[in-house]
Amino acid sequence: MQENERPRLQVRGISKQFPGVLANDRVSFSVAPGEIHALLGENGAGKSTLVKMIYGIMQPDEGEMFWNGQPLLVSNPKAARSRGIGMVFQHFSLFEALSVLENIALGMDGSLSMGELEKKVREVMQDYGLMLDPGRVVSSLSVGERQRIEIVRALLLKPELLIMDEPTSVLTPQEVTQLFETLRKLASEGCSILYISHKLHEIKELCDTATILRGGKVVGECNPAEETSKSMAEMMIGGSLKEISRGEDGALGDVLLKVNGLSLGRNHDFGTALADISFEVRRGEIFGVAGVAGNGQNELLEAMSGEMPAPREDAIILHGRPMGLLGPNQRRKAGLCCVPEERNGHAAIGDFSLSDNAVLTARHRKGLVKSGMVQGRAAEKYTREIISRFSVMATGPMAQAGSLSGGNLQKFIMGREILQVPEVLVVSQPTWGVDAGAAAFIHQALVDMAQAGSAIVVISQDLDELLALCETISVINEGKLSRAMPIKGVSVEELGLLMGGIHGTEETGERDRVENGAEKNGSGGIKEGKADAVQA
Amino acid sequence: MQFRLEKRAEVSRPMLYLTPVAAVIITMIVGAVIFSLLGFNGAIAVREIFLTPLTNSLKWQDLAVKSAPLIIIGVGLSIGFRANVWNIGAEGQYIAGGLAATGVALITHQMSGWWLLPLMGIAGILGGMAWVAVPAFLRVRLNVNEILTTLMLTYVAVQLLNFLVFGPWKSPFSFGQPQTVMFNDDQILPYIIPGTIVQAGAPIAILVAIFAWIMMGRSIFGFQVKTVGTAPDAARHGGFSNRQTVWITLLIGGGLAGLAGMLEVAGPFTRMVPQFPTNYGFTAIIVAFLGRLHPMGVMLAGLVLAISFVGGEVAQTTIGLPNPAVGLFQAMMLFFILAGDVLVRYRVRRVYHKKATGRDSDKKAGAEAGAS
């Protein structure tokens, strides 16, 4: 009881100023022992800054923290670890060429013989159901398995508080279920967990309390179990969520894009080869490609944009015209536009003005270059049109692209392609790192565009997004694309299995086993997630 | 307490234009100190090198003559540098251009006509382009670093020059001197301003710079070069070929260096001699950077470097400053401009060393972060 009165971690009035932005503004909250506490907020709400201060990576400008009632000073991560604070980052710091055990040994503060360490590692893995062979080389592991290394590394220190930063963004639904099991077990043993996420259904399923951040401030605290996803989302974005409005579900038109046995070798050492990819997209259709990051999404986008031309002319057919061998310019002229995942340095150039960024990809279809000369006025006019039609917050066409926030730049990029009215638009991660308001806007623009008669391919890791947007969905795994499935009637479990690399019916035994497991481990939460997404 | 470099959110515009000026001024100050320590009157040395060429109107024509090749080569290099193509062997392309023009001059030595000089000019451009085509091919096909290949080919060009003037091209009337015959009257550039030594190089340099300015500022090719240099992935996405950009920018750089070679050999030299390589190709690298890779900036920077050349000669005669001193000044200028570049993208911030329990110092550092 006494423990409950004294919170494990108490944060009081923490502020942190960055050049131009107040990342945390007098933030206060506390975490009880054994509590799974969510920090919920949009990208840029200040969640990461907050936990970096708790873990000692940054120092707060103001405010104090208390650890089991004592003032807490953490000047660096090592000090945090010695106090019993562990953290699992979104991006892992692992050496690809070393084994699991070697990676763990490198991250340990104290010295321990390899034998002892292996024993301890095996114990921890056993206790928390983290299946992993300590001898495996990291490069052969999946993202989910890599995350387990980081978790084991944190657990070896017997933490009293474990910070998890967006842990599920790279996991399949089944891996998420496993992770939640581990976290629940940890919490039941008294370890507090600070869980950072913007995925509402996960928080509803896992967390006891949620602190909601917006613009660096705490805007609310709630019990996720008592809230609906919609109510939490509205607290998170500070307004009401607009639903995607669709017209009549009209019948789909003729095939605009046909991809035919597209195979492509790896373009660099860490790339993924595309193997025999085939799909069709019809006029008015939004076709979704789900999958865990790094399974060939970037390669697929570049194959579609012409940055990596296909080996065969008929591998990509746009409205009857073979495109496979053509480069980006000719494909754009023919009506195939693309938006790559990486905004800065791929889709747009941060050091260039918005107007120049419009010239980058819209010069052919919008006539922004005449007899070799850039038509500055026409480019500015088109840029102004994008800014006003897509509500881009920018000082004008001459604003540097890099000065825009992620969401605004993404709106600009989407607007730049959509206003060219291509027959086919292929977008990768259209709302990655974008705030909910901008994401809703982009989703609506895509739906409108499809209804106006274009065909759209959305490549995304965000299953909720795909379920909300698409008519048809397929899954990419290790460069292979699953069969296309109509969104009505597809189950999240099935998608999850495909994302994890279990294909077709030849592996039914395996599939049944995992599927049953998933069912048992509370797939209800995930189903609910789907429902939420559709309703949002 | 220590200092830390912190990346700026945006490139600092004032710094962009201030750093070249500051580099020149710091070079003067440090130069004055160094030469004072060496027993010269440092202040006078700096005055003779940097001011006399400007104040003495007799030296102006020398400035025009010296700056022309620097500007022509510098403009060509700056276009490549914009695309992150690092041709540092312009000296070799300059020699190759001079040799190609000489070859044409020797073949047509018995002929006359207005067309001889344009033909030599074209030969010079093609010579420079041919010399840079090797690194361009190796870079595009085999990903060989062009910094090494362009530089190495410079020494090949020097050897080729020596072979030709000591061997097949040696004039029968030179009394054993390694040099070619003097070009005929139609093969030598006329003086365009009566009573001076100013030849066609100076107006050509101005035209080249203006043309490059328009091309880089307004044309889609200039856009392509800047895009490839700034964000290669975005350039690929925008449909700009990296290989094509490497080829074209190298050919422009080589061609302009070759043109400068022709203008020199058909101008001040009037024949090919082993002393033809005068480091214009290397100095033009400094010119390109000091001019911020902008054609108009390159024009100004070419003038500044020409001042240091002419002033070096003045200082040599008036106060007996050794000739390599000029090289020292030029090198310092490049050093300071590159060091200054750091300030364009980064700012210097003082940080306090944090102790494990140093709550106060943490607060201070935090407050400072907040203030900046």
Side-chain angles (χ1 to χ4, degrees):
Chain A
M1 257 318 40
Q2 199 195 349
E3 266 194 339
N4 279 344
E5 286 157 25
R6 235 179 29 193
R8 172 74 35 87
L9 172 75
Q10 188 178 17
V11 170
R12 240 190 246 160
I14 291 275
S15 293
K16 179 76 184 175
Q17 171 88 42
F18 289 125
V21 57
L22 188 57
N24 278 168
D25 186 1
R26 283 160 290 158
V27 171
S28 301
F29 69 95
S30 58
V31 185
E35 180 188 30
I36 305 184
H37 190 110
L39 277 182
L40 174 64
E42 293 189 74
N43 289 289
K47 299 168 298 198
S48 293
T49 307
L50 185 57
V51 292
K52 278 180 185 163
M53 289 188 288
I54 296 170
Y55 193 55
I57 297 172
M58 288 182 210
Q59 306 304 324
D61 297 344
E62 282 174 30
E64 344 172 66
M65 293 187 279
F66 296 91
W67 182 248
N68 294 326
Q70 303 295 314
L72 174 69
L73 304 167
V74 275
S75 51
N76 56 48
K78 199 173 169 180
R81 286 194 292 269
S82 71
R83 301 298 288 266
I85 302 175
M87 180 157 173
V88 175
F89 290 90
Q90 206 173 351
H91 301 285
F92 313 140
S93 38
L94 297 170
F95 292 95
E96 299 258 334
L98 299 183
S99 73
V100 171
L101 191 63
E102 285 165 331
N103 266 290
I104 292 175
L106 278 171
M108 298 297 286
D109 292 328
S111 57
L112 212 61
S113 82
M114 272 313 220
E116 284 174 72
L117 183 66
E118 181 167 355
K119 202 168 139 250
K120 277 185 140 185
V121 166
R122 283 191 190 278
E123 268 172 32
V124 168
M125 288 177 177
Q126 188 76 43
D127 288 354
Y128 296 99
L130 296 160
M131 271 100 67
L132 208 54
D133 174 2
R136 286 271 295 279
V137 175
V138 168
S139 61
S140 69
L141 299 178
S142 76
V143 186
E145 288 169 316
R146 289 173 196 216
Q147 187 182 54
R148 272 175 238 156
I149 305 178
E150 295 277 3
I151 297 174
V152 169
R153 199 187 255 177
L155 294 187
L156 280 172
L157 300 161
K158 306 216 180 309
E160 293 178 52
L161 173 71
L162 182 63
I163 304 170
M164 305 283 299
D165 189 3
E166 305 253 359
T168 58
S169 57
V170 292
L171 303 183
T172 66
Q174 282 80 6
E175 285 172 322
V176 170
T177 310
Q178 270 188 6
L179 172 69
F180 284 5
E181 281 302 297
T182 305
L183 295 182
R184 284 200 191 95
K185 176 146 201 300
L186 261 173
S188 71
E189 292 170 0
C191 176
S192 306
I193 292 166
L194 200 50
Y195 186 89
I196 302 174
S197 180
H198 59 255
K199 294 188 181 169
L200 302 163
H201 59 266
E202 287 180 359
I203 288 175
K204 269 178 75 72
E205 189 190 338
L206 181 72
C207 302
D208 307 316
T209 319
T211 295
I212 299 163
L213 290 174
R214 185 169 74 231
K217 287 188 184 136
V218 174
V219 293
E221 188 152 308
C222 66
N223 179 353
E226 291 166 4
E227 301 284 330
T228 66
S229 291
K230 194 158 185 282
S231 65
M232 284 199 289
E234 286 176 359
M235 272 196 267
M236 183 166 86
I237 65 166
S240 57
L241 264 183
K242 242 168 72 186
E243 295 185 13
I244 297 176
S245 72
R246 289 171 192 270
E248 295 293 298
D249 264 4
L252 300 178
D254 44 342
V255 174
L256 286 187
L257 177 70
K258 192 171 159 68
V259 176
N260 240 338
L262 171 69
S263 296
L264 218 52
R266 297 200 291 173
N267 58 341
H268 56 87
D269 284 352
F270 298 104
T272 308
L274 297 181
D276 197 24
I277 287 187
S278 300
F279 62 94
E280 280 183 2
V281 193
R282 294 170 174 276
R283 194 180 287 284
E285 181 180 3
I286 302 182
F287 182 91
V289 177
V292 176
N295 273 294
Q297 287 97 330
N298 291 339
E299 287 78 4
L300 179 60
L301 190 279
E302 295 197 0
M304 299 309 299
S305 74
E307 288 165 68
M308 296 203 306
R312 283 191 348 264
E313 191 184 42
D314 64 350
I316 297 168
I317 298 173
L318 180 77
H319 212 178
R321 286 177 59 191
M323 293 274 130
L325 301 178
L326 302 182
N329 292 335
Q330 289 134 308
R331 291 193 194 188
R332 264 192 209 107
K333 282 185 210 162
L336 171 58
C337 291
C338 295
V339 178
E341 169 183 346
E342 182 60 46
R343 281 188 285 276
N344 261 318
H346 196 182
I349 303 169
D351 288 343
F352 281 19
S353 68
L354 291 178
S355 177
D356 279 349
N357 273 294
V359 173
L360 184 69
T361 67
R363 60 186 189 281
H364 296 111
R365 295 179 72 81
K366 285 287 167 182
L368 303 184
V369 173
K370 289 206 175 85
S371 43
M373 302 306 264
V374 176
Q375 304 299 300
R377 277 213 198 123
E380 278 179 45
K381 188 167 163 257
Y382 182 52
T383 310
R384 251 185 229 113
E385 190 188 338
I386 301 169
I387 290 175
S388 72
R389 294 267 300 273
F390 278 76
S391 333
V392 179
M393 300 275 281
T395 51
M398 286 302 139
Q400 270 198 3
S403 70
L404 268 62
S405 72
N408 273 306
L409 184 56
Q410 186 70 9
K411 282 202 279 188
F412 171 79
I413 293 166
M414 295 298 295
R416 179 182 71 185
E417 306 303 323
I418 289 174
L419 293 180
Q420 294 181 47
V421 201
E423 284 209 284
V424 175
L425 179 69
V426 183
V427 293
S428 182
Q429 310 295 356
T431 58
W432 175 75
V434 165
D435 58 85
F441 189 96
I442 288 168
H443 287 160
Q444 187 62 51
L446 288 173
V447 168
D448 292 347
M449 192 189 175
Q451 262 162 4
S454 294
I456 298 173
V457 179
V458 179
I459 303 170
S460 177
Q461 290 166 46
D462 186 344
L463 212 46
D464 298 346
E465 166 172 277
L466 294 175
L467 292 171
L469 274 180
C470 304
E471 271 84 22
T472 320
I473 193 166
S474 67
V475 176
I476 192 165
N477 177 256
E478 290 177 356
K480 295 188 200 73
L481 194 69
S482 75
R483 72 191 162 82
M485 295 162 277
I487 206 88
K488 287 172 190 143
V490 75
S491 76
V492 177
E493 287 68 40
E494 192 175 359
L495 292 175
L497 290 173
L498 290 167
M499 284 161 76
I502 295 153
H503 292 272
T505 46
E506 67 267 35
E507 293 161 290
T508 11
E510 169 88 345
R511 184 179 151 178
D512 282 342
R513 192 172 58 74
V514 182
E515 201 163 41
N516 289 338
E519 212 83 62
K520 243 186 288 167
N521 295 336
S523 59
I526 296 162
K527 270 195 190 129
E528 192 174 40
K530 179 189 168 181
D532 287 335
V534 174
Q535 152 201 357
Chain B
M1 189 192 78
Q2 63 193 71
F3 290 94
R4 193 170 66 186
L5 283 176
E6 197 176 74
K7 205 167 185 331
R8 291 174 190 272
E10 254 178 66
V11 166
S12 160
R13 292 278 147 196
M15 280 292 179
L16 198 60
Y17 301 115
L18 272 178
T19 41
V21 177
V24 173
I25 293 171
I26 296 174
T27 301
M28 290 182 186
I29 296 169
V30 176
V33 171
I34 289 177
F35 284 98
S36 298
L37 292 175
L38 287 174
F40 294 93
N41 187 329
I44 292 182
V46 167
R47 194 194 69 201
E48 293 290 62
I49 290 180
F50 287 98
L51 292 179
T52 309
L54 284 175
T55 52
N56 183 347
S57 59
L58 286 175
K59 294 290 171 196
W60 291 354
Q61 47 179 321
D62 289 330
L63 292 183
V65 170
K66 290 275 181 192
S67 60
L70 290 175
I71 293 171
I72 295 172
I73 304 172
V75 165
L77 292 184
S78 66
I79 293 172
F81 293 167
R82 273 290 184 93
N84 276 350
V85 174
W86 304 107
N87 171 13
I88 59 162
E91 182 76 2
Q93 296 134 31
Y94 163 84
I95 296 170
L99 288 176
T102 305
V104 169
L106 295 180
I107 292 166
T108 60
H109 202 245
Q110 303 307 320
M111 302 179 206
S112 60
W114 61 266
W115 50 273
L116 283 173
L117 279 170
L119 188 67
M120 285 165 67
I122 292 168
I125 292 173
L126 291 178
M129 285 183 170
W131 212 250
V132 85
V134 178
F137 177 83
L138 291 173
R139 156 85 192 255
V140 165
R141 286 282 148 184
L142 303 169
N143 216 9
V144 179
N145 189 324
E146 74 279 6
I147 298 177
L148 299 175
T149 49
T150 52
L151 181 63
M152 289 194 292
L153 277 175
T154 297
Y155 302 107
V156 178
V158 172
Q159 296 310 320
L160 180 65
L161 162 66
N162 285 332
F163 165 72
L164 289 171
V165 295
F166 278 92
W169 285 3
K170 190 156 93 175
S171 163
F173 319 109
S174 68
F175 305 103
Q177 288 287 325
Q179 57 185 29
T180 66
V181 293
M182 199 178 181
F183 296 170
N184 73 33
D185 287 350
D186 283 348
Q187 294 169 334
I188 295 174
L189 296 171
Y191 295 110
I192 53 162
I193 302 177
T196 69
I197 55 166
V198 178
Q199 295 168 312
I204 288 179
I206 294 172
L207 286 179
V208 164
I210 291 176
F211 183 77
W213 185 23
I214 296 170
M215 187 182 76
M216 291 303 289
R218 299 243 174 270
S219 78
I220 191 67
F221 172 73
F223 187 84
Q224 169 173 353
V225 167
K226 285 181 278 185
T227 309
V228 168
T230 316
D233 287 341
R236 222 158 32 92
H237 180 65
F240 296 120
S241 155
N242 185 41
R243 293 176 165 205
Q244 187 202 44
T245 313
V246 171
W247 264 111
I248 297 182
T249 53
L250 278 176
L251 287 179
I252 290 175
L256 285 176
L259 175 64
M262 174 269 169
L263 292 171
E264 282 299 295
V265 76
F269 282 93
T270 69
R271 54 154 61 100
M272 187 50 83
V273 293
Q275 293 77 36
F276 180 70
T278 39
N279 281 347
Y280 279 139
F282 290 120
T283 313
I285 299 172
I286 306 179
V287 170
F289 279 107
L290 193 64
R292 281 271 165 244
L293 307 185
H294 186 288
M296 291 299 114
V298 167
M299 231 162 66
L300 278 177
L303 214 54
V304 171
L305 268 291
I307 288 171
S308 72
F309 274 124
V310 174
E313 284 165 15
V314 173
Q316 213 175 338
T317 49
T318 54
I319 60 168
L321 204 65
N323 201 33
V326 178
L328 192 69
F329 275 104
Q330 293 175 348
M332 275 198 283
M333 232 184 277
L334 180 64
F335 175 80
F336 288 126
I337 182 80
L338 294 182
D341 265 0
V342 172
L343 295 177
V344 174
R345 294 187 184 279
Y346 296 85
R347 66 171 144 231
V348 179
R349 240 193 56 193
R350 230 161 93 170
V351 290
Y352 294 87
H353 210 73
K354 289 164 197 154
K355 287 178 217 94
T357 52
R359 181 170 176 74
D360 285 343
S361 63
D362 280 352
K363 260 193 172 167
K364 236 191 248 170
E368 190 143 303
S372 61

